[in-house]
Amino acid sequence: MRILVGIKWVPRVDQMKFDPVTKTLVRVGVESVVNPPDLNALEMGLQIRDKVGGEVIAVSMAPPVAKEGLMEAVSMGADRGILLTDRRMAGADTLATSRVLAEAAKKLKADLILVGEETIDSATGQVGPGIAVHLGIPFISYVHKVLEIGDESITVERESERGVEVWRLGLPALLTVVLGANKPRRPTIRGKIRAKRAIDFWSLDDLGIDPECVGFPGSPTRVVDMVVVEPPKRRGEIFQGEAAEAAKWLADKILEVLKGGL
Ligand SMILES: Cc1cc2nc3c(=O)[nH]c(=O)nc-3n(C[C@H](O)[C@H](O)[C@H](O)COP(=O)(O)OP(=O)(O)OC[C@H]3O[C@@H](n4cnc5c(N)ncnc54)[C@H](O)[C@@H]3O)c2cc1C
């Protein structure tokens, strides 16, 4: 079983600032981490490999600095990492990103592709489904558990507004994995040593993709404007007195708000 796991190296959003003049995110000096649900996708892949055999390949489309994220994946147990990196990939929207990742999956003849439910920096949740559509394979989003896996199919549980759904998909297939689906294992010293030599770099030429279909030219999305929304100011009031009086005071306040509309 060849399992591909999409790993995105993302800036820590809690450290990011917004430049109101240029209307862009200021990423300078911000630390990066592996996108949290990608670690759950990786753990799911490792558990499947440990059960049925095969290999887990961590893949990222990103600038060279993202090698660090792939090394983390290998130090946790992935067999190898592949960084899809090329200046011509810059400016990619989710369509172009998923196209590149789909080509890598095709070249690697992946049986199963696992990605996180969404990223913490852009959070569209479009890349996984995009990869599946480019490849013409089935996919299921918000998976939290694998129930069964064989040579030809996989059975999974997915969370939905209506409860828990059970789905069986023919392989090859793609799953998007929810944050907290499992407890990702910790990197090992042995893994960290192995990670130094376990990352390959692939360019557009290695993938054989037309440069017009990737990066900025292959991205139809345009950011036409950005509006800074200030959070509403909170009004705080503290009531001092007996519990019964406090309850009445609170109930009156709630009624007042309901009558006035929210
Ligand atoms: C017009 C435009 C230009 C842009 N230009 C740039 C740019 O120059 N540089 C830049 O960094 N971003 C750029 N972006 C953002 C970029 O398109 C998104 O970061 C990227 O497509 C992933 O989208 P997402 O973060 O919403 O992923 P989601 O769809 O939320 O991700 C879901 C899962 O897919 C997998 N995944 C997502 N992205 C990758 C990846 N790159 N490699 C491996 N796995 C992945 C992960 O497992 C992740 O958990 C641009 C966006 C737009 C609209």
Side-chain angles (χ1 to χ4, degrees):
M1 172 89 38
R2 181 168 282 172
I3 305 163
L4 235 69
V5 183
I7 297 286
K8 192 177 178 198
W9 189 237
V10 292
R12 278 187 48 179
V13 277
D14 56 327
Q15 292 184 358
M16 255 174 5
K17 293 204 174 63
F18 187 74
D19 184 332
V21 180
T22 59
K23 293 188 175 175
T24 53
L25 292 170
V26 183
R27 292 167 188 255
V28 180
V30 176
E31 274 176 67
S32 290
V33 289
V34 172
N35 183 52
D38 301 1
L39 295 176
N40 296 109
L42 177 63
E43 178 59 35
M44 191 174 275
L46 295 174
Q47 287 181 15
I48 295 172
R49 180 205 59 192
D50 294 348
K51 194 168 167 199
V52 302
E55 69 170 335
V56 171
I57 308 173
V59 179
S60 201
M61 184 197 101
V65 65
K67 180 183 178 192
E68 229 181 293
L70 293 177
M71 285 172 66
E72 188 175 327
V74 172
S75 69
M76 286 170 62
D79 296 276
R80 55 191 171 116
I82 299 175
L83 186 59
L84 312 169
T85 189
D86 194 306
R87 279 181 189 279
R88 292 169 291 178
M89 292 175 189
D93 64 6
T94 56
L95 180 73
T97 304
S98 53
R99 184 175 282 136
V100 170
L101 290 167
E103 283 303 324
K106 204 188 283 176
K107 186 168 164 147
L108 289 161
K109 296 188 174 62
D111 300 298
L112 182 64
I113 305 165
L114 304 175
V115 299
E117 57 175 313
E118 62 178 36
T119 58
I120 54 170
D121 61 340
S122 301
T124 65
Q126 293 174 355
V127 170
I131 297 171
V133 170
H134 284 302
L135 293 172
I137 61 170
F139 75 91
I140 287 285
S141 54
Y142 305 122
V143 170
H144 65 106
K145 200 187 224 173
V146 173
L147 298 176
E148 221 177 271
I149 180 140
D151 290 340
E152 314 233 309
S153 70
I154 183 163
T155 310
V156 298
E157 264 186 19
R158 120 183 243 274
E159 289 172 355
S160 80
E161 300 80 18
R162 289 171 295 164
V164 171
E165 299 169 8
V166 176
W167 288 83
R168 178 172 296 138
L169 294 88
L171 295 174
L174 181 143
L175 312 178
T176 86
V177 180
V178 290
L179 179 70
N182 48 40
K183 190 165 182 265
R185 63 195 70 182
R186 297 187 65 78
T188 61
I189 303 268
R190 224 168 130 186
K192 282 185 183 174
I193 295 167
R194 207 169 53 77
K196 290 188 181 152
R197 292 159 179 250
I199 313 300
D200 286 327
F201 293 80
W202 286 5
S203 68
L204 271 193
D205 301 328
D206 294 317
L207 290 166
I209 310 181
D210 177 356
E212 286 303 306
C213 298
V214 298
F216 197 69
S219 299
T221 317
R222 293 287 172 270
V223 181
V224 288
D225 195 14
M226 217 179 262
V227 179
V228 182
V229 181
E230 291 296 338
K233 296 243 179 324
R234 285 168 184 268
R235 284 181 295 133
E237 276 184 71
I238 296 175
F239 180 84
Q240 312 260 356
E242 293 301 316
E245 277 177 80
K248 182 171 180 325
W249 177 83
L250 189 59
D252 288 345
K253 286 276 170 202
I254 293 170
L255 281 175
E256 201 181 298
V257 171
L258 291 177
K259 276 185 202 148
L262 292 175

